[in-house]
Amino acid sequence: MDCRPVPSREEIFAALEKKQGSVATAKLQAATVAICGLGGLGSNIAISLARSGIGKLILIDFDTVDITNLHRQQYKASQVGLPKASALLENLKEIAPYVQYEVHNEKVTAENAVRLLEDADIVCEAFDRADAKAMLVDVVLEQFPQKTLVAASGMAGFDSGNAILTRKVTGRFYLCGDGKSDVDQDIGLTAPRVMLCAAHQALTVIRLILGEKDA
Amino acid sequence: MLKINGENVDAAGKTLAQYLAEAGFNQVRIAVERNGEIVPKAKYGETVLAEGDCVEVVNFVGGG
């Protein structure tokens, strides 16, 4: 392991201000975002938001890193078998050491969602199963009238990336993806297409935090 | 008439559960918004669709 010194908090913050502007950087610094599911969507969303200087990330997944995850999820070959929550934390701390991280190695359910998500301003749904996605949308929109949810549906297969969009379903519910490509149809998943959808989600989160008027 | 996913549908008076079953939706894979509010799954059976309602059924597909 390389032990070269990392830049200070002040140096990283100054660099973020240089690239994003001081107003945006301050707003991002004040925000807390929860990411439910740390697979192809969640691990990529987490890295984008951490790099952007988000104040706090709440990262939740019950699963361990599998060798079949490596082709699209932000884990290393040396992390196969580790819990995703702790493996991602390790990677994020190397990338963005001054973000505050809260990790939960457990499954999000209708019962524990309030405890896990109550501190978040915005919740990202980043599960892989359709039923889990639907459950989380119900729970967040019903139980947290102040929170916004950014969900994803449809990023499987090898269709054009241009089919992946962000849609505002209602005031507090955004949906990214092509809406139809289903992994259960055995069409596969490929890193860039999943990353495109994750990037839509991360960008939507950032735009909401910044109060972009068309977000 | 009411609007479901942007289309005019003659479903006033039916419960949401009836409509979803007839339209072939799998209830565990969907989220339903009615007039801007989420309808919890437990209330599909008691939610009666009314004239002028605007309903959006989001059908989730797997992958992530």
Side-chain angles (χ1 to χ4, degrees), chain A residues 41 125 127-130 133 151-166 175-185 187-190 192-198 200-201, chain B residues 29 58-64:
Chain A
L41 295 171
E125 177 283 306
F127 293 144
D128 53 358
R129 292 169 50 115
K133 290 171 179 287
S153 179
M155 77 302 298
F158 294 87
D159 273 357
S160 169
N162 294 340
I164 292 178
L165 304 169
T166 298
L175 188 60
C176 305
D178 66 26
K180 58 182 185 194
S181 60
D182 191 340
V183 78
D184 297 338
Q185 294 163 343
I187 53 177
L189 284 166
T190 185
R193 206 159 193 274
V194 177
M195 289 170 83
L196 272 170
C197 191
H200 268 264
Q201 288 183 276
Chain B
R29 294 170 70 112
V58 176
N59 190 35
F60 284 95
V61 293

Side-chain angles (χ1 to χ4, degrees), chain A residues 137-145 172, chain B residues 38-41 43:
Chain A
V137 171
D138 265 19
V139 169
V140 173
L141 295 181
E142 190 195 352
Q143 301 198 23
F144 294 109
R172 300 189 296 116
Chain B
I38 193 83
V39 182
K41 279 196 207 312
K43 296 199 171 154

Side-chain angles (χ1 to χ4, degrees), chain A residues 22-34:
Chain A
S22 54
V23 174
T25 298
K27 285 182 179 175
L28 291 164
Q29 179 70 47
T32 296
V33 177

